[in-house]
Amino acid sequence: MAPDPHILVGRYGRVAVLELGSDIVEHAHPQAQGLIKIDGPDRTILVAGRRHVLRNETMVLLRPWIPHGGLASVGASTRVLAVNLDLPYERARRGRARAQRSPDGVCHCMEPNLREAADYVKQRLARGEATAGDADELLRCFSMTCASAEFAEVGTQAPRIDFRIRRVIDHIRTAPTDAQNVDVWVKISGLSRPHFFHLFRQCTGVTPRLYANSLRLEYAIDRLSNSSMPIHSVAES
């Protein structure tokens, strides 16, 4: 059995150590995410339907709300640092808008300072000494990579979120643990079912269920990291 994921929560986001040994279902994150390989074979990551290979010398750079998954590699599992950087809301929207127009540029060569910070966190984790401060240093280096990748390109206009879709998003965010009921979302939007699905994806880049699942995952991670709630209680909620 693979070890449980280890999560370090810093001031600007979080760093998780993941053991990837099987396929990863498509999902998305509200944060910018960097995937950095630290052990094991190369790993194929699916981003917006395209295959990108995660290697020692490269990283996979994901803008907020970009759907992605992964394909299992032959043999041993791959250990990955998943670096999630919180971005201001408007900056995240611009980054998603840019990525929807140009899905290329996902794989990036690792900059020396980022590789060094990732290796340092790996060593500290192996010794059981990793702290939130180590996560912050890695997040700081990752934020520089995001800046050089033009996550918030000057002049990039993010699409406006339709007020009817905004109502649904506010409803989902208010109670992320509630059962997902598409019929309720459609009613709140005041749209026909086909128009609701089309407009939601146009505004957010993902389906309503994927959006809600992502917020449920974020809630679970927050509860596990910042409270004493036992894991079975988090799972039940």
Side-chain angles (χ1 to χ4, degrees):
M1 178 180 290
D4 292 335
H6 193 109
I7 301 175
L8 298 173
V9 179
R11 290 175 294 172
Y12 312 112
R14 66 175 183 266
V15 177
V17 183
L18 307 177
E19 290 277 352
L20 307 182
S22 57
D23 289 350
I24 306 170
V25 69
E26 186 178 66
H27 61 288
H29 303 281
Q31 308 95 359
Q33 185 182 67
L35 299 177
I36 302 171
K37 193 180 88 166
I38 54 176
D39 279 310
D42 293 346
R43 177 83 177 189
T44 299
I45 306 295
L46 298 174
V47 183
R50 296 190 180 190
R51 296 189 178 200
H52 302 272
V53 180
L54 183 61
R55 310 179 190 276
N56 291 328
E57 67 276 9
T58 63
M59 69 177 297
V60 169
L61 184 59
L62 300 164
R63 290 172 170 80
W65 293 115
I66 298 303
H68 57 283
L71 299 178
S73 55
V74 177
S77 62
T78 302
R79 292 186 77 217
V80 171
L81 284 180
V83 186
N84 284 50
L85 176 68
D86 293 324
L87 294 177
Y89 177 67
E90 286 301 322
R91 187 180 175 196
R93 288 179 63 205
R94 289 196 296 271
R96 179 178 60 78
R98 176 180 169 83
Q100 285 181 323
R101 291 198 306 272
S102 178
D104 296 326
V106 171
C107 274
H108 288 255
C109 288
M110 288 281 289
E111 297 176 1
N113 66 326
L114 184 59
R115 179 79 264 178
E116 183 178 345
D119 289 342
Y120 182 72
V121 169
K122 171 186 172 181
Q123 294 164 11
R124 296 270 288 173
L125 284 166
R127 297 195 298 265
E129 300 172 350
T131 66
D134 299 325
D136 278 334
E137 177 59 20
L138 181 54
L139 286 160
R140 185 189 67 81
C141 294
F142 178 56
S143 70
M144 295 170 63
T145 297
C146 291
S148 64
E150 298 181 322
F151 261 34
E153 182 186 56
V154 176
T156 299
Q157 295 297 316
R160 282 186 174 274
I161 294 184
D162 186 278
F163 71 95
R164 294 161 294 188
I165 300 302
R166 169 58 61 196
R167 283 203 300 258
V168 176
I169 288 175
D170 289 343
H171 172 79
I172 295 173
R173 285 183 172 275
T174 298
T177 61
D178 284 356
Q180 298 179 37
N181 191 325
V182 176
D183 291 335
V184 171
W185 299 341
V186 171
K187 185 176 180 179
I188 291 173
S189 72
L191 302 167
S192 69
R193 194 180 182 93
H195 191 192
F196 166 69
F197 276 91
H198 172 76
L199 191 58
F200 194 100
R201 184 151 201 161
Q202 185 180 63
C203 290
T204 66
V206 296
T207 66
R209 284 197 184 279
L210 196 155
Y211 188 94
N213 280 338
S214 297
L215 294 186
R216 287 159 69 87
L217 177 63
E218 291 299 320
Y219 174 84
I221 292 172
D222 178 71
R223 293 297 84 199
L224 290 172
S225 303
N226 299 312
S227 79
S228 58
M229 259 179 103
I231 191 168
H232 67 84
S233 298
V234 174
E236 288 172 359
S237 71

